[in-house]
Amino acid sequence: MLDFQTSLIIKIISAIFFFISGIVWKKVLTLDVKNYHFIFYRVVSSLLFLLLIKFYFLYFEVDLTINDEFSPSIYDWIVCILICLFSFWGLYFYTKALQNGRLSFIVPVSGITSFFSFITSILIFNEIISWSKYLSFLIIVIGLLIHQKNNIMKIKFSKEFLFTLLSNFVWGISFVLYLIPIKKFGVLNFSIILEICVFASCLLLFVYNDKKILPPKISNRDLLYCLLMGFLIAGGSFLSNFTLILFPVSLNILIGLIFEVLILATGFYFFKEKLFKEDWILISFITISSVLLLI
């Protein structure tokens, strides 16, 4: 088993990979493109990268100190595939949110993901509910009501908020459920299966929406961006899944909170985005809520 310091470094590297990939996503996704077209090119790159890692480990007989051998039943396969297909919609809604909103708002508000993760942990793994978790839930609800009070009165939610909330819901649940197939398939094998399911989901969207099996060609610039995202997300996903079995959910959340400041600064600098009073209130409430979940 890796020591704590090495494990922490791995977790931070995975967070940095996801952080940079969010910036790249924001640069390539515009309202005049279909998000799953870019997801397709990204996932092809991710799959190639993960398969190269797989072949490298097999060839050099690398020991991850964690069982990465197949030992699943048919039931395990079904559960794994269902979790992966469900998780795809987190990526779908996240990229839709980036098309319709501000990076400096979307990523910090993704702290709501921690709430859904803890609720899932309680229901699936019987985690003990403390007073701080109840208070955390109350703070999030109050923050959401304040942020969307005008839209609630009009029975209307902004696309930026709605897609962000949907992606948080899917990923918050998926993040905890990943532990189930990882124990059966191993970290690397599961990461590959997850990307294959994302690939299959894109193909289904092509057939259903576009009436064809392959996406249209994209510019060389965007293709290079997708290749970069493929590397970043494959590496970040593999390392994140790896640390999921090394760290409790709470520590994963805490490290994510550290990067909120970087994300806010990036949104301001690169995209000249502006946060309004309601945004700051919601982000502050989510940050306080996430810290309470650690108690």
Side-chain angles (χ1 to χ4, degrees):
M1 182 64 67
L2 298 177
D3 61 82
F4 179 82
Q5 184 177 3
T6 303
S7 302
L8 184 60
I9 291 173
I10 292 174
K11 179 60 184 177
I12 291 175
I13 292 173
S14 71
I16 292 173
F17 277 16
F18 285 131
F19 165 65
I20 298 174
S21 69
I23 298 174
V24 181
W25 271 124
K26 183 60 180 174
K27 288 185 71 69
V28 301
L29 289 172
T30 57
L31 290 174
D32 60 337
V33 301
K34 294 182 178 179
N35 61 327
Y36 55 89
H37 290 173
F38 286 90
I39 293 175
F40 173 83
Y41 287 105
R42 193 282 294 166
V43 75
V44 170
S45 175
S46 295
L47 270 174
L48 290 175
F49 181 71
L50 288 172
L51 289 174
L52 286 175
I53 295 177
K54 179 70 174 179
F55 291 139
Y56 175 85
F57 285 169
L58 290 174
Y59 184 79
F60 290 99
E61 299 181 348
V62 176
D63 183 11
L64 292 177
T65 71
I66 293 175
N67 182 20
D68 216 32
E69 298 294 330
F70 276 107
S71 60
S73 64
I74 295 178
Y75 173 78
D76 295 325
W77 272 103
I78 293 174
V79 171
C80 178
I81 291 173
L82 288 177
I83 291 174
C84 291
L85 292 176
F86 175 70
S87 179
F88 163 78
W89 293 102
L91 175 60
Y92 178 85
F93 289 125
Y94 175 71
T95 51
K96 289 290 287 184
L98 287 175
Q99 284 182 303
N100 291 272
R102 298 155 292 163
L103 180 71
S104 53
F105 171 82
I106 293 166
V107 183
V109 172
S110 293
I112 299 174
T113 300
S114 62
F115 166 73
F116 292 117
S117 293
F118 272 95
I119 293 297
T120 305
S121 297
I122 292 168
L123 296 176
I124 303 297
F125 300 110
N126 297 319
E127 182 174 325
I128 298 175
I129 305 175
S130 64
W131 65 268
S132 60
K133 292 181 175 59
Y134 284 113
L135 182 58
S136 173
F137 170 74
L138 180 62
I139 290 174
I140 284 182
V141 171
I142 294 174
L144 292 175
L145 289 175
I146 292 174
H147 187 268
Q148 291 292 307
K149 63 179 180 179
N150 293 330
N151 290 328
I152 290 174
M153 297 298 293
K154 300 174 183 177
I155 316 180
K156 178 184 177 182
F157 291 92
S158 66
K159 290 183 179 180
E160 176 188 49
F161 176 79
L162 181 60
F163 288 135
T164 302
L165 187 61
L166 286 172
S167 67
N168 294 169
F169 172 76
V170 174
W171 272 342
I173 295 175
S174 301
F175 183 68
V176 177
L177 294 182
Y178 284 169
L179 278 170
I180 299 173
I182 283 176
K183 291 178 179 178
K184 290 291 183 179
F185 292 86
V187 178
L188 182 54
N189 291 329
F190 170 72
S191 298
I192 293 172
I193 295 169
L194 178 61
E195 294 299 332
I196 290 174
C197 288
V198 173
F199 178 82
S201 298
C202 287
L203 293 182
L204 290 175
L205 285 174
F206 293 150
V207 173
Y208 183 79
N209 292 331
D210 302 344
K211 311 304 179 185
K212 55 185 178 182
I213 196 65
L214 293 174
K217 292 182 180 180
I218 59 177
S219 68
N220 291 334
R221 185 203 72 132
D222 288 343
L223 182 59
L224 288 175
Y225 276 136
C226 289
L227 291 175
L228 174 60
M229 281 191 293
F231 163 74
L232 292 169
I233 294 175
S237 177
F238 170 65
L239 294 175
S240 179
N241 291 338
F242 189 65
T243 57
L244 189 59
I245 54 180
L246 299 176
F247 290 132
V249 173
S250 58
L251 187 53
N252 278 275
I253 293 170
L254 179 60
I255 295 173
L257 287 173
I258 295 173
F259 283 86
E260 285 188 5
V261 177
L262 291 176
I263 292 161
L264 283 172
T266 301
F268 293 144
Y269 182 79
F270 284 102
F271 303 106
K272 302 186 186 306
E273 297 173 341
K274 180 181 179 181
L275 289 176
F276 302 101
K277 179 180 69 175
E278 293 81 4
D279 297 333
W280 283 112
I281 292 174
L282 179 57
I283 291 171
S284 299
F285 276 34
I286 289 172
T287 302
I288 294 170
S289 176
S290 298
V291 171
L292 284 171
L293 287 173
L294 305 178
I295 299 176

